[in-house]
Amino acid sequence: MRSTLLLGLIGASALPVVAQNTCATALHIPLGTHAVEAVNGTEVIPVTCAQNAGTTTAAEWYTYTASMDTTIRLRTDPPGSVPIDTRVNIYTGTCGALVCYAGDDDSGNNFASDVTFAVTAGVTYTIAFDNRWSSLGFSFELAYVYVTPPPPPPVTLINFNNVSQGVSGSGYCVVDMNNDQLDDIVGTSTSNVNVLYQQANGTFQSVNIITTPADHTASWSLAAGDIDGNGYNDLMYGGGQGSTFMYANNNGTGFTEVSFPNYIFSQRTNMVDINNDGHLDAFVCHDVDANVAFFNDGNGNLTFNQGLLGLTCGNYGSLWTDYDNDGDQDMFVAKCGCDPVDLLMRNNGDGSFTNVAPELGLADGHQSWSSAWGDFDNDGDMDVLIGASSSGYHKLMENNGDGTFTNITAGSGIDLFTGQSIEWTTHDFDNNGYLDILGGGGLLMNMGDMTFVDNGVSPGNGPIGDLNNDGFLDVYTSGTARMNQGNENNWLKIATIGVVSNSNGIGARITVVTPSGTFTREVRSGDGFRYMSSMMVHVGLGEETEITSVTINWPSGIVDVLDEVDINTSLVVTEGLSTGMVEEEASSISLFPVPAKDQVTINGLAGQQAPVRVLDATGRLVLRSTLATDRLDVSELPAGAYVMQIFTEQGPVQRSFTKE
């Protein structure tokens, strides 16, 4: 059987670099496309490694060090270039003792050079272009070459059933829109927000909400989160001309449109507390200019800011994560186009950010579009898969736990997977406790040892959540719910309600400890490239039947610890409180009257403007507010039993009351 060769293109535009004039001062280069201004270096080659030996008077010198055992292609006629007559010589050894290893004169277009050669991990190769035929400048490309082996027998670990579930619109998300801890399906269009509310019996109720026409639709991406802190998720549309926000009203039944006049060729959108002030901000990748942040003043009013988080163009897929475990949110941008080199913006903790991608081996330029960050090996830190979108290679980087990374692509199974897409995400689809990778037309199952195997059946890309409340993650793809058929593995779902932190708890890190393992997950708004997936944290437990503890490290620094949590349950955790908290009888705070009618008076606050949350008998959040007086309006609540959580300066207090 003939093998198929797939060339990994590493960048669409050349990186302007200047080679050095001698072997001793050769410029060390990564994979990618590079520009040679002219062949005028002062040291000539010691021996010709290509055809057509002859006199040379100058050379340009480079070095490349292989990160894995693989095959490399060097060509001086990359796509988009004007090829000229070149000759390349490739050596091993050291300066003064160079040994010919490979070379080429005329194998490319218009007498350009084109040579393929095997490389060994850790070996440095010296590359010299001589002026045998020309001293003019040119571009060259250094890229991986993948040999696709015969496909292995299909490995089917989980299956999906297709269920027709139409929702109008083109921008999709799977998010809890009514605070019942069930993931809903949302479709957006210019003047509509169509919500399929998941019901407890597994059906959906369709509600179409008419909105003021949006200046910008979610043609490129969609994000969700509670920007104004009223307890209902707002939406952020990312379009080709700008961004529009749809603010949910105080009962989630309507939206108010807010757009900004600034031009943004919007790609990935996120909601995150960028400056860690407790208020949810927004972020958008700009395709053709510096990235944009919208800062929240604490009242849901946003201010446009450009340039803090990446000054150049080609920004496509952003993801916020705490890669260095210092408690604040860093940001990775997978790039494409005019400046294709990826960014990792480290949060310095003082409102500033520094790009550390080059020093950590993450400054790739291979048209990735998106990335998947997660704790693939369950060691408590975030690893990353940088996927390819149209041409190039996938890259799996293991976090070493000290803020550095190691390339472990070779032998991981990622190196053999050639599927490509703009969307790459990571979630635990089989509930074995290890994060899987969805993208490139495949579902790559994590085997628990940092190796991955194609499931053989993929649901395709789309927003991800639990669409039938069975504890297994499903995918929504344009009119069809891909329902995960699951297995016997156990699970836990966690909904976070922030008080001092943003109300969604976005940026919180959750650690689940069992007798045999530890699982670390993060609350995020926006992963992959386009879609918005559930903000409920989903943890597969495998065959574990006990949970020792659940720890939530909130962005505020508050830590909640819950012991002996039941498996196969949905857990709701409010910052500073845990579900099932007993009444604090020693506190002087009391409620009046009980039962209440339209208002409840909170005695004992002494003028404090305390945050308040009200839960119904099922634990569902039904009201949130910050008290300006000692009275809370409960007129819109139906009759029944409730729990009020009051966050005083002395600490949290919980009180029960009934409503007539």
Side-chain angles (χ1 to χ4, degrees), residues 587-592 601-606 630 646:
S587 172
S588 61
I589 291 181
S590 61
L591 307 182
F592 178 84
T601 299
I602 299 95
N603 295 319
L605 283 178
D630 61 354
I646 310 159

Side-chain angles (χ1 to χ4, degrees), residues 173-177 179 182-184 223-227 232-235 270-272 280 427 464-466 473 493-497 502-508 510 521-527 532-538 571:
C173 67
V174 171
V175 173
D176 179 12
M177 296 295 289
N179 298 319
L182 297 174
D183 287 323
D184 308 308
D226 184 10
I227 294 175
Y232 290 89
N233 283 320
D234 312 304
L235 302 173
N270 312 95
M271 293 188 188
V272 62
L280 195 60
H427 299 267
I464 298 162
D466 186 356
L473 290 171
K493 292 193 294 185
I494 305 164
T496 51
I497 302 173
N502 65 88
S503 57
N504 300 102
I506 293 168
I510 296 176
R521 304 289 185 262
E522 293 179 329
V523 184
R524 297 171 181 164
S525 172
D527 62 351
M532 175 69 206
S533 296
S534 175
M535 283 183 285
M536 292 193 63
V537 170
H538 181 98
L571 187 66

Side-chain angles (χ1 to χ4, degrees), residues 117-133:
F117 55 100
V119 296
T120 302
V123 175
T124 296
Y125 299 86
T126 299
I127 301 168
F129 299 97
D130 63 53
N131 68 340
R132 173 68 173 89
W133 306 112

Side-chain angles (χ1 to χ4, degrees), residues 49-117:
C49 304
Q51 310 94 318
N52 305 318
T55 303
T56 64
T57 59
E60 296 296 314
W61 296 86
Y62 300 84
T63 60
Y64 166 74
T65 302
S67 61
M68 68 177 85
D69 296 344
T70 187
T71 302
I72 295 293
R73 180 183 182 187
L74 190 155
R75 57 189 298 192
T76 61
D77 59 349
S81 69
V82 179
I84 66 169
D85 195 353
T86 58
R87 188 170 68 178
V88 65
N89 309 271
I90 302 167
Y91 305 94
T92 57
T94 59
C95 295
L98 295 174
V99 178
C100 276
Y101 184 71
D104 184 72
D105 192 353
D106 296 330
S107 298
N109 296 316
N110 197 32
F111 305 109
S113 305
D114 192 336
V115 57
T116 298
F117 55 100

Side-chain angles (χ1 to χ4, degrees), residues 340-643:
V341 182
D342 298 341
L343 300 175
L344 177 57
M345 305 299 293
R346 182 186 65 206
N347 192 329
N348 300 320
D350 59 1
S352 67
F353 292 80
T354 301
N355 180 24
V356 295
E359 65 195 69
L360 298 180
L362 293 169
D364 298 285
H366 67 276
Q367 311 293 305
S368 50
W369 282 56
S370 63
S371 62
W373 286 78
D375 187 7
F376 293 128
D377 51 4
N378 288 339
D379 65 350
D381 48 44
M382 297 296 136
D383 314 298
V384 59
L385 179 282
I386 306 170
S389 64
S390 57
S391 60
Y393 62 98
H394 313 304
K395 186 175 181 180
L396 182 63
M397 301 289 283
E398 182 178 15
N399 194 323
N400 299 320
D402 58 0
T404 66
F405 294 83
T406 299
N407 190 338
I408 60 167
T409 310
S412 67
I414 300 297
D415 53 336
L416 302 178
F417 184 69
T418 59
Q420 302 186 24
S421 65
I422 64 175
E423 198 82 31
W424 296 91
T425 57
T426 181
H427 299 267
D428 186 0
F429 285 93
D430 60 354
N431 281 350
N432 72 340
Y434 292 93
L435 293 169
D436 311 307
I437 295 170
L438 180 63
L443 175 56
L444 305 180
M445 311 306 296
N446 190 335
M447 296 293 99
D449 58 358
M450 291 299 273
T451 65
F452 294 81
V453 175
D454 196 342
N455 183 66
V457 175
S458 173
N461 292 119
I464 298 162
D466 186 356
L467 297 178
N468 56 358
N469 200 31
D470 66 349
F472 285 83
L473 290 171
D474 314 299
V475 182
Y476 183 78
T477 59
S478 189
T480 303
R482 316 285 181 176
M483 308 301 291
N484 189 337
Q485 296 306 288
N487 51 37
E488 299 301 317
N489 287 336
N490 297 314
W491 50 272
L492 177 69
K493 292 193 294 185
I494 305 164
T496 51
I497 302 173
V499 178
V500 181
S501 306
N502 65 88
S503 57
N504 300 102
I506 293 168
R509 177 164 293 195
I510 296 176
T511 303
V512 178
V513 179
T514 68
S516 63
T518 300
F519 313 95
T520 303
R521 304 289 185 262
E522 293 179 329
V523 184
R524 297 171 181 164
S525 172
D527 62 351
F529 172 72
R530 179 169 187 170
Y531 305 104
M532 175 69 206
S533 296
S534 175
M535 283 183 285
M536 292 193 63
V537 170
H538 181 98
V539 182
L541 301 173
E543 298 180 354
E544 286 286 1
T545 58
E546 298 179 17
I547 297 174
T548 305
S549 65
V550 176
T551 301
I552 299 94
N553 290 85
W554 299 87
S556 66
I558 293 173
V559 178
D560 280 306
V561 180
L562 295 83
D563 298 322
E564 299 181 355
V565 175
D566 292 335
I567 65 170
N568 300 335
T569 58
S570 296
L571 187 66
V572 182
V573 183
T574 300
E575 184 177 12
L577 294 167
S578 62
T579 56
M581 185 188 74
V582 299
E583 301 267 333
E584 298 184 27
E585 299 297 342
S587 172
S588 61
I589 291 181
S590 61
L591 307 182
F592 178 84
V594 178
K597 294 185 178 179
D598 293 334
Q599 290 186 330
V600 176
T601 299
I602 299 95
N603 295 319
L605 283 178
Q608 296 183 36
Q609 294 186 350
V612 173
R613 305 290 186 266
V614 178
L615 310 179
D616 66 13
T618 67
R620 175 188 171 212
L621 178 68
V622 294
L623 178 64
R624 73 172 74 198
S625 180
T626 298
L627 294 175
T629 68
D630 61 354
R631 295 183 180 179
L632 179 67
D633 186 352
V634 296
S635 59
E636 295 188 5
L637 296 180
Y642 298 92
V643 171

